[in-house]
Amino acid sequence: MTPLQKSLFHSFNQYRDVAYCNRDIDNAKEIRKAYALHALNHVLKTRDRVLKNNERISKAQKANRDIEEMRDQGFTRPKVLILLPFRNTAVDVVTALIELSGSEQQEHKKRFYDEFNLLEEEEEKADKPMDYQETFNGNIDDHFRLGIKFTRKTMKLYSDFYSADIIIASPLGLRTVIGAEGDRKRDFDFLSSLEVIIMDQTQQFLMQNWDHIDHILEHVNLIPKDAHGCDFSRVKSWYLDGRAKYLRQNLVFADFLTPEINAMFNKHMKNVGGKLKIKQSYEGSMIDAIAQVPQTFVRVEAQSLATADDLRFKYFVEKTLPTLQRSAITQSHTLIFVPSYFDFVRLRNYLEDNKYSCAHICEYTPTPQVSKARSDFFHGRASFVLYTERFHFFRRYNIRGAYHVIFYGLPDHPQFYTEIVNYLALKADASSAEEATFSCSALFSRYDMLKLERIVGTDRARKMCSSGKNLFVFS
Amino acid sequence: MPEANPKALDASELAALKPEDTKFSDLGIIKPLCDACDQLKFKHPTEIQKESIPWALEGRDIIGLAQTGSGKTAAFALPILQKLWDNPQSLFACVMAPTRELAYQISETFESLGALIGVKSAVIVGGMDMMSQSITLSKRPHIIVCTPGRLQDHLENTKGFSLRNLKYLVMDEADRLLDMDFGPKIDQILKVIPRERNTFLFSATMTTKVQKLQRASLNNPVKVEVSAKYSTVSTLLQYMLFFPLKHKDCYMVYLLNELAGNSTIIFTRTCSDAQKIAVMLRNLGFPAIPLHGQMAQSKRLGALNKFKAGNRNILVATDVASRGLDIPAVDIVVNYDVPQTSKDYIHRVGRTARAGRSGKSITFVTQYDVELIQRVEKDLGRKLDQYPLEKDEVMMLQERVNEAQRIATIELKEKGGDSKSGKRGRGGNDDDDQDRDDDVVQAGNRKFNNNKKGGKMNKRRR
């Protein structure tokens, strides 16, 4: 065991909630092993207890004497839920479970590897950043669910949820089973007795659909609608009282902390065993930028979170855009980076209504149109391009022809900031006079503290959020 | 017990005393329960309590016969609670009742009498969610109050629930429990509960069938009988009204008008009558509410609560409400139809004049009911007096009543469509409608009822 695994496993085994926000490509495997071990340990421990009690009860029945209550079960069998973004990580986790379980036989193992590994040859991704290669390596289908059942000697993959011990699923895969209010076919009773929930690569759920996570967590540990053949005399009393969510352990692993994860930490992680949030302080990813441009940060004053979005829009339209328009240089070849799709739509509509020459690229844009937008922008046929964070997450394109970059909001992923600033260095034959006109500016508000600190560093971010000035230039 | 009450009297001495002169402690009831009785303003034991409690405490089986409103519930609740106090155990006693409403009421009595000693009781009746009942049962309450159908369902389908350690079985309104199709269910239940237990049968009336059951499950029982077979309390004034059938509604409206402000129960023979009359009365501005077996369980409880709380003071009900229910403030009972049997008559009029209060009952007799009423009068051993009223005044209402009848018929027809589909929908998820079907039986539709049941059995087997 590595020191990290040791310290994490120690907390796991004390059944505390853990939100670990320092995950990265280097420690991903260690973490995965550690929680796989914990999940397996938990399942086997509880199973042993049930088996032992079964024996005691049958002995007592044979001897025809009464025995005190044995409350050792939930309503339904599944105890551990592991949420993963893509099939490729599911392969890793299941492989780890197979190794750790020491089971002699695995049912449906071949089917699993057939379905969860990539069928065709992988395309070359060598020119993409490391973290992209890691995330999108192999089968990146995000709609799957899998029940795993452990018996004395075998491990059964693809078992029915009600007879499974561990459920591995993507948020989307689980959400489609849970269904929505009013759906004809819904099922979430099998989530009633979860004791451990593990979420790995949590920041990637944000790039998928965070709504699913909230939806799932709202359907966990409810009293089931149907008995599903459970033995009521052995159901633990906190399940009967509907208090199971207070005894559920939640383990969350993410590359960084976001307000969404914080909200989940406060709202859904109610373990009476206590909870830990582990987060580092940052040096800032800004220093990794190659492009030699002054980087400007402007703080938009917002009194409340509710008005922050409107104020940012207002500031952009009233201050940033006119400034861009005023100068002949900044009028064209300007890339506007927008983290959220909602802001994207708002800006797109505004720019279209006001007849700006503008191309846009978001996660819903079909590939031919993306190519057209990129080429229009490169050749100056479109002066602006709108570019979203989610698109960048899934595609990681280099957008050529950008002389000015404006961050309407900061990206969650700190490396995206440098990658986008580096678009400015893509023009190899730029003269120093041209380079001198390049610019980069970003809007932020004090609610973006978490994003900001990853880009400029923790200490600086703190100053920038509280300082009397609202304009900061780094060169 | 002896140390709890060294002065406990023996049975013969007790028998000599009048209820007013005894106290609960004289019967051998322990202090916490006496305190609970005080809090509930039970000062002296009633006749049936005085007669049965000492035997029950001695550990004998009991057949208790007493008229309604005479304190039967406490007569079995107190000894059970006391035994439970001596020997605490979960799933200690099971009380069966024929109707869901009565089950709730018995459970309330247990909870209030047992409040001081921390008794948990659970109500297990049809029409409610199986799952939440399973959870309640698995929390191991001391007392279960149930209707037989649903209890049997749980015994069969809820894993981990059994009555293996049951010590007391009570059947309230025992004759009715055996009267209806409960018989087979009860036989099945008796098979899975221990033979070494105490059994109490309580009823206002006793039929031959009870004697059958007595053989099956009682062990050297004591028969406690506090009054004659068919009798009503003396504070009850019983009247009848004789008129042609076509004026029935008119007479009813006149009466309700005369007696406005009193809380009244109108008993009808069929569910549809109850519904129709309630709607008609509402059209005429009376605060009426129906209660019958074709209503969903939640609505039945709601109707009863509204009536109890006094929001609506006219309850139009079928025989579902005729037994066991204790609604303290009923002033008048109107028998819209003459009851089919004398027993039903006793139960119906027993809703009023309870616990020493006064009350009135008025039975409507038409040209077709003469034979029935004569049978009732024979069993009662007395003639009913004619209710005094002015016939001309009644007839003045005819027009308005006819109008209201017409509107009610239209309203029901419009609603008829959805209520039918609603009923079908409910049939799908509601397995235990045993205690609801009895109204259909009353309506003379026994054949239809049996068919329906056959279908259900098949479904369950699948």
Side-chain angles (χ1 to χ4, degrees), chain A residues 66 69 71 223-227 229-233 240-241, chain B residues 90 129 131 134-135 138-140 157-161 164-165:
Chain A
D66 270 334
E69 287 186 350
R71 297 207 175 264
I223 289 178
K225 303 244 177 308
D226 197 71
C230 89
D231 182 344
F232 282 92
S233 66
L240 299 174
D241 294 332
Chain B
S90 62
D129 180 35
M131 190 62 201
S134 301
I135 290 173
S138 66
K139 288 186 190 161
R140 310 181 68 77
N157 297 321
T158 299
K159 232 173 130 186
F161 165 61
R164 270 199 310 267
N165 297 316

Side-chain angles (χ1 to χ4, degrees), chain B residues 385-398:
Chain B
D385 303 325
Q386 181 82 15
Y387 189 77
L389 49 65
E390 210 49 60
K391 201 180 160 204
D392 297 344
E393 281 176 30
V394 177
M395 286 305 125
M396 269 158 52
L397 291 169
Q398 187 73 48

Side-chain angles (χ1 to χ4, degrees), chain A residues 56 70 76 103 111 116 163 190 239 249 335 347 390 430:
Chain A
R56 282 166 70 184
M70 301 281 181
T76 51
S103 52
R111 177 179 161 202
F116 279 71
S163 57
F190 61 87
Y239 285 104
Q249 184 184 33
L335 179 134
L347 278 183
R390 201 173 278 166

